Amino acid sequence: MLAKRIIPCLDVKDGLVVKGIKFKNHKVIGDILFLAKNYSINGADELVFYDIAASADNKLLDKKWIYNISRLINIPFCVAGGIKSINDAALVLSLGADKISVNSPAIENPSLIYELSNHFGSQCVVIGIDVWFDKFDRKYFIYQYTGNEDKMISTKLNVFDWIKKVQDLGAGEIVLNMMNQDGICQGYDIKFLNKIENICNVPLIASGGAGKNEHFYTLFNETGVSGALAASVFHNNIISINKLKSFLLSKGINIRLC
């Protein structure tokens, strides 16, 4: 069985790492290179960088920091932000990223997933999906342009249909971002993740809700996800990655220690 992955998530805007709550009210956390190196040293299995304004502003992510990160850390990292073509992806990968992630551009042009997978291989094509649970309608809605509060919109996509489609088109991994849970540190949406697992045949990464060690344990113990994405608990030094991994190992979770 593959080891479960612990993946710090770094939202990037104007070259700095920021963090919001439920994808809103972002505040500056710190320097992207300092945080990347710190997480790499302290046990992260990989890193994910989202240039959160790129797609909403119809531009490719700021490329300046990608090469510097590739020279600084020795763990895999994934980059997202306005990647709309093979040329965009090739540039990002040439600068040192191991994977590219697409979200809003894939919603706009689903064939992009096939093009990227066919050209680079599915192993480096990640699809991000931002989901909001409407408590009144009791339905899950996929959102687009979530990096900009003013441009964020709800799509008409059915989340289960979309997950099936991106797999058919060649997605090698899916990151499911639960917007309701984001930044509030109250745990992952286990019930929903279990539903998604039933239709997901590629590695599934859970994002949104981590607040304490037990949340990671519950996630890995009660679902079959491949990894846990988290931000606030790491940015705010609530959880040490190495200590988290030791805790999970003591509870019988297959985790890789550094």
Side-chain angles (χ1 to χ4, degrees):
M1 181 183 296
L2 293 175
K4 303 297 185 180
R5 287 175 277 158
I6 302 298
I7 309 170
C9 172
L10 296 89
D11 290 341
V12 180
K13 186 175 182 180
D14 299 326
L16 294 172
V17 176
V18 299
K19 185 68 187 80
I21 296 177
K22 298 184 179 180
F23 286 47
K24 296 181 179 181
N25 302 316
H26 291 89
K27 297 181 180 179
V28 174
I29 298 298
D31 178 74
I32 186 172
L33 296 179
F34 173 82
L35 289 167
K37 184 176 182 179
N38 181 61
Y39 291 143
S40 177
I41 290 172
N42 286 287
D45 292 302
E46 58 188 81
L47 300 177
V48 172
F49 299 89
Y50 293 129
D51 189 320
I52 62 172
S55 288
D57 293 342
N58 194 32
K59 64 180 183 180
L60 183 62
L61 60 97
D62 183 353
K63 304 172 291 297
K64 298 175 184 176
W65 44 267
I66 301 175
Y67 175 76
N68 291 331
I69 287 172
S70 71
R71 303 281 290 179
L72 190 65
I73 66 175
N74 59 1
I75 59 174
F77 70 98
C78 177
V79 173
I83 297 171
K84 293 185 176 183
S85 67
I86 287 176
N87 287 341
D88 290 344
L91 176 58
V92 171
L93 293 170
S94 72
L95 291 170
D98 299 275
K99 304 176 185 178
I100 50 97
S101 178
V102 289
N103 187 332
S104 294
I107 293 173
E108 295 171 356
N109 175 26
S111 64
L112 174 64
I113 303 170
Y114 173 78
E115 293 169 6
L116 293 173
S117 177
N118 188 55
H119 192 87
F120 300 105
S122 62
Q123 78 284 346
C124 74
V125 180
V126 181
I127 301 301
I129 304 177
D130 297 332
V131 180
W132 176 269
F133 179 65
D134 189 302
K135 295 181 180 179
F136 297 102
D137 290 340
R138 307 298 298 175
K139 294 180 180 178
Y140 291 90
F141 293 94
I142 295 177
Y143 271 70
Q144 191 175 3
Y145 306 131
T146 52
N148 186 317
E149 296 177 36
D150 297 325
K151 297 181 180 180
M152 188 186 305
I153 58 172
S154 175
T155 73
K156 296 180 180 180
L157 292 171
N158 176 283
V159 62
F160 299 99
D161 291 342
W162 181 236
I163 285 176
K164 291 176 182 177
K165 184 170 184 175
V166 301
Q167 291 177 92
D168 290 342
L169 289 169
E173 185 169 278
I174 293 172
V175 175
L176 194 65
N177 302 302
M178 295 307 302
M179 297 170 67
N180 305 70
Q181 311 293 107
D182 178 68
I184 63 174
C185 301
Q186 294 182 0
Y188 293 93
D189 190 335
I190 303 298
K191 291 182 179 179
F192 184 58
L193 287 164
N194 281 327
K195 292 179 181 179
I196 297 300
E197 277 187 273
N198 291 330
I199 60 168
C200 190
N201 300 311
V202 300
L204 177 64
I205 309 299
S207 174
K212 54 186 178 181
N213 288 347
E214 287 76 11
H215 290 155
F216 289 90
Y217 171 68
T218 300
L219 174 68
F220 291 135
N221 187 53
E222 297 185 11
T223 78
V225 301
S226 298
L229 207 73
S232 297
V233 289
F234 299 141
H235 294 337
N236 297 325
N237 296 312
I238 297 171
I239 291 179
S240 157
I241 298 174
N242 277 323
K243 290 181 179 179
L244 168 62
K245 285 188 163 186
S246 295
F247 167 79
L248 292 171
L249 193 64
S250 74
K251 302 286 277 186
I253 303 298
N254 184 18
I255 208 83
R256 181 170 55 246
L257 291 176
C258 296

